[in-house]
Amino acid sequence: MSSYSPIGPVVGIVGAGQLARMSQPPAIALGVELRVLANNPEESAARVIVDTRIGDYRDLGDLREFAKGCDVITFDHEHVPTDHIRALAANGYVVHPGADALVHAQDKAVMRERLTRIGAPCPAWARVSSADDVASFAAEHGWPVVLKAVRGGYDGRGVWVCRTPDEVAEAFATGVELMAEAFVPFDRELAVLVARSPHGQGVSYPVVETVQENGICVEVIAPAPGLDQEQSAQAQRIALTVANELGVTGLLAVELFQSERGLVVNELAMRPHNSGHWTIEGATTSQFEQHLRAVLDLPLGTPRMTAQHVVMANLLGGDDPDLFKRYEHVMAHDPGIKLHFYGKEVRPGRKIGHVTALGSNLDEVRARARHAAVYLMTGEYT
Amino acid sequence: MSSYSPIGPVVGIVGAGQLARMSQPPAIALGVELRVLANNPEESAARVIVDTRIGDYRDLGDLREFAKGCDVITFDHEHVPTDHIRALAANGYVVHPGADALVHAQDKAVMRERLTRIGAPCPAWARVSSADDVASFAAEHGWPVVLKAVRGGYDGRGVWVCRTPDEVAEAFATGVELMAEAFVPFDRELAVLVARSPHGQGVSYPVVETVQENGICVEVIAPAPGLDQEQSAQAQRIALTVANELGVTGLLAVELFQSERGLVVNELAMRPHNSGHWTIEGATTSQFEQHLRAVLDLPLGTPRMTAQHVVMANLLGGDDPDLFKRYEHVMAHDPGIKLHFYGKEVRPGRKIGHVTALGSNLDEVRARARHAAVYLMTGEYT
C-alpha cells in the first residue's frame, strides 16, 4: 500500500449509475479517490464524483485512457466486453473482478456450465438455437420453458417465460442468442451477498428475501423471514463456494429460488447489488464499503446487522417528475426512515431511489418502508 | 419545495473543510446538490464535490457570485464577515444560520452578553482592553484569568489561561481584541448538539463527554458516562433554549464545563461539530444529514443512538505523511472499526481524520477507538 499518495488509492469504476454513486460515501470516508467512466455528465454518479471521465465502455481505447493512473479498476455494470477486460489486465492494470470471473455474470450459459460442474444447484438448462431445440427441451422438462438472452439482460429484460411454441417464436424473433431453463415453481426468491478479496478472505451477509414485481425487485427483507438456519447456512455456503471456485474479487450476489426441491441458483452479479442496498444503514459495513475494501485487497469489514429487521423498498419512476416535494410528508411521518435518491431524471418504471426502514418489529418495519415508498412514488397515503 | 428540479435543491456551503466534505454522503443520499466555496481545489471538500467554486469568503463579490442559483447557503466555518451575510440576505438569498444568530458564534463577547441575558449559566466575564482591566477582573474573580480573542479563535488558538500579569501582557501583545473569563475548575467537558429548523422544530442529540489535549478535542464519548439524568436534561434544555432564543437555524453545538457549581457554557458553534462526528454511524440521523434537513426546513430526523456506547477518536497528523498504509492492520484487527479520512495532506497536529467504535461495553469501545487512532497516527500498537 505504500505507493499510494497521502490521499489514498484511486479506484476507477466503469459505469456511472447509482451503484457507482452509492460507492462515493464510503470512498469519502476511507479517503479513497473514485474515478468513473460515464456516458455523459448527467449520469447518477457523474453528479457526485469529481473525477468523471466521459467515454464508451465498449471502446478499448477509452478504457485504456480511463485506466491510466487507477490503482484498481472495477465495475458499475457487467456490460464491458470480456476481451477488453483481458486486454486491460494484459496491459498491467489491476481489474477486480477479473475477466475469468466476470464472464460468469456476463454469459448465462457459461455460468450454468460452471455452476453445474461445481455442483451448485441449478434448474435443468440447455443452449438452444431454434424453436425445435426448445420443443425438445420442453418434451423432457415440460412447459413453461424459461428462455433467457445469454448476454445483456437485466431487470426482467431478456427473459421470456414461454407457455406455448408461439411465445418461443417471439423470443427468437429478437435475434439474440438464447438458452432454455426449466421453470422452477418457487415459493419465494432469496439472495445472498458475499465479498471475496484477492488474497482469499470471504464474508457473507445474512440471506435476504427479495420480492419482485414484473421482473423488477421492489422490496428486500433482511434477514429472510422464517428461513431455517440450515437453509440459510446452505445459501451462504453456495455463494462462498461460487465466489471461491470462480475466483471472484469484490462482491458476488447470488439470487436463489426457494422451492420444494430446495435452493436453486437463478442469477449471479459481481458488484454491489440491489438486494444489498439495505446494508447502507442495516449493516456495520455497507456493501459499497465492502466492495471497495475487497477490490483494494484490504481486510473485509464485519457484515453484522445494525438492527433486528431491515426492509428496503425500491422507488420506481411514475408520471410525476418531482419527487422531492414529497420529502416533507415522509420525513414528518417517520423521522427514522432513510431516503436515497439517485439523482436521475424520473422515467416511468426506472429505479430512481430507495428507502430503508430498521427496527425490531418486522410488520412495522415493512409497513414503514412501504408507506414511504408508495407516498414518494404516487403521493398516495397507505 | 415544488420549485426544485427533479434532482433536488442546491445547498451552497461556504468553506470546503472536512465538515463540508462529510456533508456530501447524506447529500448524495437525499439527492441534494452541494456547492462549496473553496480557497483551492485541493481542499478536503473540493476533492469530493463536483460543483466547487474557488473564491474568497471575505470578499462580498465572491460570495454573491457563489450564491447565485443556491436554494440555501450555509457554512463550513464561522469566519464569513457578519456584514457580508447580512448583505446576502438583503439580496434575497436564504442563509442559515442567519447573521443575527451566527454573530453569537463569531463574537464571544456578544455571545456572553446574550447568554447572560437569557439566563444560561456562564463564567464571570468582562470585555477588557488593557492589562489594568484584567488586573481589576482578577482582583474580583481571582487568578487564573482566561483571556480569549473575541473573534477568530478555534481549537485552542486565541485562548490564554493566564496565571500572572506577564502572561496577560503576552496575550495583549498579539494585538487582537480580548475578553476575560473567570477560570472554571471543571471536572470534565461535555457537549450537546441540537438542531433547529426555520419553522422552529428542535431536536437534541444525547449529551457527550469531550476529552481535550492541548485545547484540541481528542476523544468524544456518547453518551457522557455516568451523567445523571437531571443534568443531562438540563444540558439539553440549555442548548435548545439557546437555539430558540438566538434563532439558530441548522445545528448548534454547545460546549459545557461540568463543575462543582454545575454546568457552565464554554463555547457555541453553529454548524456540524467535531463533538458530533460519532453520529455518522452512532445515530439514526447523522449531524451532517440533520444540518441539511434543518437548513432546507425539512422535518428533522430522529437523533436516536444506534448502539449503547459510541466513541470517536480524532486523528491528528504526525511526522508520517502516509497513513493509508496502516489501514491493513487496523481493519484486520477490528472488522467493526469505522475509519474517516479527510483527504488532507498530513501536517503535525492537524485534524486529518477520525475513527469511530460502537458497542455495548464502554471500556472495550474506548479501547478499540484508541487502538485504531494511535496505530493510524504513529504505527504503535497499544
Side-chain angles (χ1 to χ4, degrees):
Chain A
M1 301 269 126
S2 55
S3 67
Y4 295 130
S5 85
I7 304 309
V10 178
V11 174
I13 304 180
V14 179
Q18 64 261 31
L19 302 178
R21 179 186 176 97
M22 288 188 272
S23 303
Q24 173 71 325
I28 290 173
L30 294 175
V32 167
E33 299 253 316
L34 292 190
R35 176 187 297 179
V36 290
L37 184 63
N39 295 314
N40 67 68
E42 305 298 310
E43 278 188 288
S44 181
R47 293 176 177 279
V48 302
I49 291 172
V50 174
D51 191 0
T52 291
R53 313 286 172 100
I54 306 301
D56 185 345
Y57 61 83
R58 295 162 303 190
D59 182 293
L60 183 55
D62 284 2
L63 288 170
R64 283 202 172 111
E65 193 55 39
F66 175 75
K68 278 181 199 160
C70 288
D71 293 293
V72 184
I73 295 155
T74 186
F75 307 98
D76 173 82
H77 57 67
E78 280 102 359
H79 308 317
V80 180
T82 322
D83 286 345
H84 290 0
I85 300 174
R86 287 190 214 287
L88 289 178
N91 294 147
Y93 294 110
V94 179
V95 186
H96 293 304
D100 290 344
L102 192 62
V103 67
H104 299 91
Q106 297 181 313
D107 186 307
K108 293 186 202 300
V110 170
M111 181 268 276
R112 284 298 179 210
E113 275 160 8
R114 184 67 172 272
L115 292 196
T116 304
R117 208 153 65 230
I118 67 178
C122 291
W125 69 278
R127 291 178 186 270
V128 289
S129 50
S130 67
D132 283 352
D133 287 352
V134 178
S136 311
F137 184 84
E140 188 173 352
H141 302 288
W143 296 92
V145 172
V146 181
L147 293 181
K148 290 182 174 178
V150 168
R151 281 183 166 254
Y154 66 99
D155 274 356
R157 283 184 251 194
V159 177
W160 297 264
V161 179
C162 302
R163 285 159 208 284
T164 64
D166 277 359
E167 289 175 334
V168 171
E170 267 176 55
F172 275 102
T174 62
V176 301
E177 191 189 348
L178 297 178
M179 60 179 290
E181 292 184 358
F183 181 82
V184 177
F186 58 85
D187 300 324
R188 60 174 173 171
E189 295 185 66
L190 304 174
V192 203
L193 191 65
V194 298
R196 184 175 172 278
S197 56
H199 76 277
Q201 190 191 4
V203 304
S204 174
Y205 287 91
V207 182
V208 300
E209 177 176 343
T210 63
V211 181
Q212 326 276 328
E213 277 172 21
N214 305 319
I216 296 182
C217 171
V218 293
E219 188 188 27
V220 173
I221 309 169
L227 186 66
D228 70 52
Q229 221 172 343
E230 198 181 322
Q231 224 161 17
S232 165
Q234 190 203 347
Q236 293 186 320
R237 219 159 39 230
I238 289 169
L240 287 166
T241 302
V242 169
N244 204 44
E245 291 283 340
L246 274 52
V248 175
T249 46
L251 289 186
L252 170 71
V254 180
E255 298 181 56
L256 297 153
F257 295 126
Q258 187 177 23
S259 74
E260 264 188 29
R261 56 163 279 218
L263 298 176
V264 178
V265 175
N266 182 22
E267 303 281 356
L268 303 185
M270 291 182 197
R271 48 169 170 75
H273 191 253
N274 196 176
S275 68
H277 291 354
W278 66 272
T279 61
I280 296 175
E281 295 90 3
T284 298
T285 312
S286 80
Q287 67 167 344
F288 299 101
E289 177 176 345
Q290 199 73 288
H291 188 68
L292 292 177
R293 290 165 79 137
V295 301
L296 287 164
D297 207 10
L298 288 167
L300 300 176
T302 174
R304 195 184 305 129
M305 291 185 69
T306 62
Q308 216 175 325
H309 300 286
V310 183
V311 173
M312 189 243 26
N314 276 328
L315 301 176
L316 304 177
D319 298 327
D320 187 347
D322 183 4
L323 276 70
F324 194 81
K325 64 172 187 266
R326 302 211 184 97
Y327 270 36
E328 217 159 277
H329 166 74
V330 293
M331 287 179 166
H333 183 80
D334 183 350
I337 196 82
K338 303 310 290 184
L339 306 185
H340 294 266
F341 267 35
Y342 303 157
K344 292 157 88 170
E345 300 285 337
V346 174
R347 287 204 295 260
R350 191 182 203 195
K351 282 183 193 162
I352 51 170
H354 73 267
V355 301
T356 304
L358 301 88
S360 53
N361 178 314
L362 178 57
D363 289 340
E364 249 175 59
V365 173
R366 282 188 83 171
R368 287 170 51 211
R370 171 173 298 267
H371 174 88
V374 170
Y375 189 87
L376 285 167
M377 289 189 287
T378 65
E380 278 162 33
Y381 195 103
T382 56
Chain B
M1 300 268 125
S2 55
S3 66
Y4 296 131
S5 84
I7 303 309
V10 177
V11 174
I13 304 180
V14 179
Q18 64 262 30
L19 302 178
R21 179 186 176 95
M22 288 187 273
S23 303
Q24 173 70 325
I28 290 172
L30 294 175
V32 167
E33 300 251 316
L34 292 189
R35 175 187 298 178
V36 290
L37 184 64
N39 294 315
N40 67 69
E42 304 299 310
E43 279 189 288
S44 181
R47 292 175 178 280
V48 301
I49 291 172
V50 174
D51 190 1
T52 291
R53 312 285 172 101
I54 305 301
D56 185 345
Y57 61 82
R58 296 163 301 190
D59 183 294
L60 182 55
D62 283 2
L63 288 170
R64 282 203 173 110
E65 193 54 37
F66 175 75
K68 279 182 199 159
C70 288
D71 293 293
V72 184
I73 295 155
T74 187
F75 307 97
D76 173 82
H77 57 66
E78 281 101 359
H79 308 317
V80 180
T82 321
D83 286 345
H84 290 1
I85 300 173
R86 287 190 214 287
L88 289 177
N91 294 148
Y93 294 111
V94 179
V95 185
H96 292 304
D100 291 342
L102 191 63
V103 67
H104 299 90
Q106 297 181 313
D107 185 308
K108 292 185 203 300
V110 170
M111 180 267 277
R112 284 298 179 209
E113 275 160 8
R114 184 67 172 271
L115 291 197
T116 304
R117 208 153 63 228
I118 67 178
C122 291
W125 68 277
R127 290 179 185 269
V128 290
S129 51
S130 68
D132 282 351
D133 288 352
V134 178
S136 311
F137 184 84
E140 188 174 354
H141 302 288
W143 296 92
V145 172
V146 181
L147 293 182
K148 290 182 174 177
V150 169
R151 282 185 164 252
Y154 66 98
D155 273 358
R157 281 185 252 194
V159 176
W160 297 264
V161 180
C162 303
R163 286 161 207 281
T164 65
D166 276 0
E167 287 175 336
V168 171
E170 268 177 54
F172 275 102
T174 62
V176 301
E177 191 189 346
L178 298 178
M179 60 179 290
E181 292 184 358
F183 181 83
V184 176
F186 59 83
D187 300 323
R188 60 174 173 172
E189 295 185 66
L190 304 174
V192 202
L193 192 66
V194 298
R196 183 174 172 277
S197 56
H199 77 276
Q201 191 192 3
V203 305
S204 175
Y205 287 92
V207 182
V208 300
E209 177 176 343
T210 63
V211 181
Q212 326 276 328
E213 276 172 23
N214 304 318
I216 296 181
C217 172
V218 293
E219 188 188 27
V220 173
I221 309 169
L227 185 66
D228 70 51
Q229 221 172 345
E230 198 181 323
Q231 225 162 17
S232 165
Q234 191 203 346
Q236 293 186 319
R237 219 160 37 230
I238 290 170
L240 287 165
T241 302
V242 170
N244 203 45
E245 291 283 340
L246 273 53
V248 176
T249 45
L251 289 186
L252 170 71
V254 180
E255 297 181 56
L256 298 154
F257 295 125
Q258 187 178 21
S259 75
E260 265 188 29
R261 55 163 279 215
L263 299 176
V264 178
V265 174
N266 181 24
E267 303 281 356
L268 303 184
M270 290 181 198
R271 47 168 172 76
H273 190 253
N274 196 177
S275 68
H277 290 355
W278 66 273
T279 60
I280 295 174
E281 295 90 4
T284 299
T285 312
S286 81
Q287 66 166 344
F288 298 100
E289 177 176 344
Q290 200 72 289
H291 188 68
L292 292 177
R293 290 165 79 136
V295 301
L296 287 165
D297 208 8
L298 288 166
L300 300 176
T302 174
R304 197 185 303 129
M305 290 185 69
T306 61
Q308 216 175 325
H309 300 286
V310 183
V311 173
M312 189 244 24
N314 277 327
L315 301 175
L316 305 177
D319 298 327
D320 186 346
D322 184 4
L323 276 70
F324 194 81
K325 64 173 187 268
R326 303 210 183 98
Y327 270 36
E328 218 160 275
H329 165 74
V330 292
M331 287 178 166
H333 182 81
D334 183 351
I337 197 82
K338 303 309 291 184
L339 306 185
H340 294 265
F341 267 36
Y342 303 158
K344 292 157 89 171
E345 300 286 336
V346 174
R347 287 204 295 260
R350 192 183 203 194
K351 282 182 193 163
I352 52 171
H354 73 267
V355 302
T356 303
L358 299 89
S360 54
N361 178 314
L362 177 57
D363 290 340
E364 249 176 59
V365 172
R366 282 188 83 171
R368 287 170 52 211
R370 171 173 297 267
H371 175 88
V374 170
Y375 189 87
L376 284 167
M377 290 189 288
T378 66
E380 279 163 32
Y381 195 103
T382 55

